[in-house]
Each structure stands twice: as structure tokens, then as C-alpha cells.
């Protein structure tokens, strides 16, 4: 028997014993990954881009900014300035004016111009395919490097953003709020065959179903195995 609470979230399920320990079991992780993969068969970043370089720029812009907002800015930016030479020529002040609607636009403009010059001078305008070189670029941290390595070079890196953090807790994959620790926990529990896509699967599921506020539990394909359906939601967990 499945009962719904007043928030529309599942309250209990007689056939499953809910515990954090159960969700450290790889069999449960396999089932979650399997269902997400079937539900989202082609999980990809929603950042619009026309090349490896513009994807890198879009990812840098997306820090603490929604993909929707970044896409609004880059739609015209990449149309008018599609190449690395175009962006460098535009310059920091010119770029600031173009992207001023996104958060931290001044720092992002500075970083983008700096990293563009480095890419041009040191890498022939190409995006590096290894973590060390990527993380040496201004504005590129571990999460951004993971996104680039995964999306452009098909490496099984796991990028941890706010959606991945939230779902990792809700699904019992990790107890931590530290992205580095969550990444390590996911590396341990996610089967190898799903590591290439797990970040995008969690991001997309978190963006459209398992939302921060008012998660769509009744429409969730994971509702019978989600840790958060154990009894009433704890008050402190409602914004996880």
C-alpha cells in the first residue's frame, strides 16, 4: 500500500524497508540509474553552444547562474562573436556589456578573456582534454573541468552542482554537503556503466522533477525507492 501525505509525496511503502544503509547498496544505485536512463535516454547539458570553445565559455558563465539565463545571453553573443579571436577582440569591457544580465558578470568577463588568450597562445585555440591544463585556466575549477571532460571528451567524470548535491542527499547517495566529498561518494556507489551520464541525469531530474521547492513526487519514477519518502519530510530537509 502506498500512502500520500498532504504534500503529494509518498509516505511509506510496505514492500521496502527504508534506511540510509539500504541506499548505500549498489543494487539500489543500479536501479535508480536504470530508471533515470530509461526516462531520460539522451541526457546532455542544456547549455547552447556551437563549438568546444563556446561550450567552455558557456560553462564558465553558468557558475551560480541558471542555464536558461546563460542561453539568453549566449544566443546573440555566439552569433555575433563565434570564434576565440572574436571574443578576444571584443575585450573585457565589451564582453561585460554583452553578459551583464548574468551573475558575477565582471569576474566572468575577466576570466573568459584571460582564458581565451591562454587557449590561443598555449593550446592553439583548442580546449585541453586533461584536468591539469583545464584547471590552470582562469575561472575553471573542478566542477567546470568535470563538465568539460565529460561532455567534450567522453570521460566518466562526475560534476557536482546544486542539483546533484540535492539529489545525492535525497537519494541517500551521500550525507555530505561538500561537492568534493559528494563526488567521491558518487564515484564509489554509481556503477561504471552509468558514470558517463549520472551528472546530467541527476541535473535534469532535479531541474524538472525533484525540484528544490515542491518536488513532483507523485510523478517521480523513483518515488518507491527514494530515501526522502520515509515518513514525513523533516523540516530541515525540505530545502535540500
Amino acid at each position: 500500500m502506498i500512502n500520500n501525505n498532504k504534500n503529494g509525496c509518498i509516505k511509506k511503502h510496505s514492500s521496502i524497508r527504508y534506511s540510509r544503509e539500504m541506499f548505500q547498496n549498489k543494487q539500489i544505485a543500479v536501479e535508480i540509474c536504470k530508471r533515470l536512463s530509461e526516462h531520460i535516454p539522451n541526457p546532455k547539458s542544456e547549455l547552447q553552444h556551437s563549438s568546444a570553445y563556446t561550450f567552455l565559455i558557456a560553462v564558465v558563465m553558468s557558475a551560480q547562474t541558471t542555464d536558461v539565463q546563460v542561453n539568453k545571453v549566449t544566443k546573440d553573443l555566439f552569433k555575433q562573436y563565434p570564434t576565440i579571436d572574436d571574443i578576444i577582440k571584443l575585450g573585457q569591457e565589451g564582453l561585460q556589456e554583452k553578459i551583464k544580465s548574468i551573475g558575477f558578470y565582471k569576474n566572468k568577463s575577466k576570466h573568459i578573456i584571460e582564458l581565451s588568450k591562454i587557449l590561443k597562445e598555449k593550446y592553439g585555440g583548442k580546449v585541453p582534454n586533461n584536468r591539469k591544463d583545464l584547471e590552470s585556466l582562469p575561472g575553471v575549477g573542478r566542477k567546470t573541468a568535470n563538465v568539460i571532460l565529460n561532455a567534450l571528451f567522453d570521460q566518466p567524470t562526475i560534476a557536482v552542482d546544486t542539483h546533484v548535491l540535492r539529489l545525492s542527499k535525497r537519494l541517500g547517495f551521500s550525507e555530505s554537503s561538500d561537492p568534493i566529498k559528494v563526488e567521491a561518494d558518487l564515484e564509489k556507489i554509481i556503477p561504471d556503466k552509468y558514470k558517463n551520464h549520472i551528472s546530467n541525469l541527476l541535473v535534469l531530474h532535479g531541474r524538472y522533477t525533484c525540484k528544490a521547492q515542491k518536488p513532483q513526487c507523485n510523478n517521480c519514477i523513483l518515488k518507491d525507492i527514494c530515501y526522502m519518502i520515509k515518513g514525513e519530510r523533516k523540516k530541515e530537509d525540505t530545502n535540500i
Side-chain angles (χ1 to χ4, degrees):
M1 178 68 68
I2 297 176
N3 296 321
N4 294 338
N5 65 20
K6 62 182 179 180
N7 293 321
C9 296
I10 303 303
K11 188 173 181 180
K12 66 180 180 179
H13 193 292
S14 62
S15 65
I16 297 178
R17 178 176 176 270
Y18 297 103
S19 69
R20 283 194 182 276
E21 289 73 24
M22 181 186 76
F23 284 90
Q24 295 308 311
N25 187 317
K26 278 205 170 187
Q27 290 183 335
I28 299 299
V30 168
E31 181 63 18
I32 289 173
C33 292
K34 179 175 178 291
R35 292 190 192 184
L36 288 176
S37 296
E38 291 173 349
H39 188 63
I40 311 172
N42 189 30
K44 291 184 179 180
S45 170
E46 294 185 316
L47 288 171
Q48 297 175 5
H49 59 285
S50 58
S51 65
Y53 168 71
T54 56
F55 183 67
L56 171 59
I57 299 308
V59 177
V60 170
M61 287 189 195
S62 71
Q64 300 183 62
T65 305
T66 66
D67 287 3
V68 171
Q69 190 59 43
V70 172
N71 287 338
K72 288 180 180 179
V73 168
T74 58
K75 181 179 180 181
D76 291 330
L77 179 68
F78 294 158
K79 187 178 295 183
Q80 296 177 45
Y81 307 92
T83 71
I84 188 169
D85 290 327
D86 292 328
I87 294 293
I88 292 174
K89 186 175 180 180
L90 178 62
Q92 184 177 333
E93 291 186 4
L95 184 57
Q96 282 184 188
E97 186 63 26
K98 296 292 183 181
I99 70 170
K100 63 183 179 182
S101 62
I102 68 174
F104 305 98
Y105 72 96
K106 290 184 178 180
N107 280 339
K108 290 176 182 178
S109 296
K110 179 182 178 181
H111 290 154
I112 289 170
I113 295 301
E114 289 178 348
L115 74 82
S116 296
K117 290 178 179 178
I118 293 172
L119 289 179
K120 177 75 172 178
E121 296 168 4
K122 190 173 180 179
Y123 302 101
K126 295 183 178 181
V127 177
N129 63 356
N130 65 86
R131 181 181 303 284
K132 181 180 178 181
D133 289 341
L134 281 170
E135 292 189 14
S136 72
L137 298 172
V140 178
R142 184 174 183 85
K143 188 196 82 171
T144 297
N146 280 348
V147 172
I148 298 301
L149 292 172
N150 180 255
L152 298 183
F153 303 107
D154 200 31
Q155 295 185 27
T157 50
I158 300 176
V160 179
D161 72 347
T162 55
H163 295 297
V164 176
L165 276 174
R166 181 174 71 256
L167 267 67
S168 292
K169 278 193 173 184
R170 286 181 175 177
L171 294 172
F173 287 154
S174 178
E175 303 256 349
S176 181
S177 295
D178 180 346
I180 299 297
K181 292 181 180 178
V182 172
E183 181 184 339
D185 288 339
L186 290 173
E187 285 283 357
K188 293 176 184 176
I189 197 169
I190 300 300
D192 289 344
K193 68 178 290 186
Y194 293 110
K195 284 181 181 176
N196 263 28
H197 299 300
I198 190 61
S199 290
N200 284 329
L201 287 171
L202 293 177
V203 167
L204 294 171
H205 188 63
R207 185 171 292 162
Y208 297 110
T209 302
C210 195
K211 303 176 182 180
Q213 300 292 338
K214 297 182 179 179
Q216 308 299 304
C217 299
N218 280 344
N219 298 322
C220 181
I221 57 171
L222 304 177
K223 62 187 179 184
D224 61 322
I225 53 174
C226 177
Y227 169 75
M228 289 298 291
I229 65 183
K230 180 184 177 183
E232 298 291 335
R233 286 175 181 268
K234 295 180 181 178
K235 185 177 181 181
E236 65 269 26
D237 284 345
T238 57
N239 290 320
I240 288 176

